[in-house]
Amino acid sequence: MSELSVKAGLDAMDVASYLRRHPQFLVEFPDIAMALTMPREQGKAASLASYQLDVLRDKNREINRRLHELIDIAHENEALMVRVHTLTLALMRARSLPETANTIVAALGEDFRDPATRGDAGGGASVLVRLVLFRADPDLPAAEWLIAEPAGTEAFPAFTEFFKRAEPLCGRLQQDKLDALFGAQAQQVQSAVLLPIGAGMLAIGSGDANRFHPGMGTVFLKLIGEAISTAVSRFPVS
């Protein structure tokens, strides 16, 4: 009590007095009992009940930590699902292949920006998007982000294994892959994700070496790839 201020000491005494008058208080509010620090017996022999209470508190803290982690993951997954849904609707509204291509690049360029700066006017954390289509179409725009190659997979020998596996690829790409996709901007890409989209592929590159990595989940990436593949296949080859 000597370490407490007069006001704090009075408050503590009031609390102690209240608890003495209401011995059932902690029964009605067990969560408070779990948060309190109980005195231990002096000497080598410690109270078994006190030890058990400490163990329960530790488990309770761990459960709360894991619960908050799961809640954060659920919120992140919900946000990802909304983006996939929004992209799918935008692709459904596209009335031509050029409009579809522009929709893909515009949407993914925004969705895969650094979450901390998404929506900032500066756009310093933007990513590079490359859409590869194994077809030629005179209406497709002559844009840096579009690679139209009627020769198909034969024109991309560096990606033979990728096309064979037909699964999203995340992480750091070999230089020949970077050069084939990003050309003069290849040095800006420190990590990337590749998506097979049926008759083509989609590449998203980031200047952050940790933005895309082999351990990241690919469920939503597969959904994006399938949505894009379906949207592109609606338009026959000219």
Side-chain angles (χ1 to χ4, degrees):
M1 291 294 296
S2 60
E3 297 179 1
L4 299 175
S5 66
V6 175
K7 185 178 184 305
L10 291 175
D11 289 342
M13 292 300 296
D14 290 341
V15 172
S17 177
Y18 179 86
L19 292 177
R20 290 190 182 98
R21 295 195 308 272
H22 301 84
Q24 298 298 314
F25 180 82
L26 294 180
V27 175
E28 298 176 5
F29 300 92
D31 59 311
I32 296 179
M34 293 296 295
L36 294 175
T37 301
M38 304 296 292
R40 292 193 174 194
E41 297 179 4
Q42 300 296 322
K44 296 181 178 180
S47 167
L48 177 60
S50 178
Y51 171 76
Q52 291 174 329
L53 187 58
D54 285 343
V55 172
L56 289 175
R57 286 195 189 115
D58 290 340
K59 289 183 177 180
N60 188 52
R61 282 191 288 266
E62 177 62 18
I63 290 173
N64 283 331
R65 184 189 66 78
R66 293 176 62 184
L67 178 61
H68 281 96
E69 287 182 353
L70 290 174
I71 291 174
D72 290 341
I73 292 173
H75 287 161
E76 182 179 351
N77 287 342
E78 181 181 11
L80 288 171
M81 183 57 74
V82 169
R83 290 176 197 160
V84 173
H85 179 65
T86 301
L87 172 63
T88 302
L89 293 179
L91 292 173
M92 292 173 65
R93 288 191 291 266
R95 299 177 179 273
S96 66
L97 182 59
E99 186 179 351
T100 297
N102 278 286
T103 297
I104 293 168
V105 176
L108 296 182
E110 174 63 22
D111 286 346
F112 281 92
R113 287 180 61 188
D114 185 343
T117 59
R118 184 177 291 117
D120 288 356
S126 61
V127 296
L128 296 176
V129 179
R130 294 293 185 269
L131 177 62
V132 179
L133 297 178
F134 297 152
R135 60 193 298 175
D137 191 311
D139 294 327
L140 286 172
E144 189 175 36
W145 50 260
L146 178 63
I147 302 174
E149 180 50 75
T153 59
E154 294 181 0
F156 297 90
F159 298 87
T160 300
E161 186 62 27
F162 167 73
F163 290 127
K164 182 179 179 180
R165 296 185 60 184
E167 292 285 338
L169 176 64
C170 307
R172 300 186 182 185
L173 298 182
Q174 296 172 332
Q175 192 61 46
D176 55 351
K177 292 185 174 66
L178 291 174
D179 292 338
L181 292 170
F182 301 101
Q185 295 179 297
Q187 296 303 320
Q188 300 178 28
V189 179
Q190 299 301 312
S191 65
V193 57
L194 298 181
L195 299 179
I197 56 170
M201 64 177 164
L202 182 76
I204 305 171
S206 171
D208 182 355
N210 299 314
R211 181 69 178 86
F212 303 113
H213 54 85
M216 67 186 297
T218 60
V219 173
F220 289 103
L221 294 177
K222 290 180 180 179
L223 292 178
I224 291 173
E226 291 173 0
I228 292 175
S229 179
T230 301
V232 171
S233 67
R234 291 185 301 159
F235 307 102
V237 180
S238 301

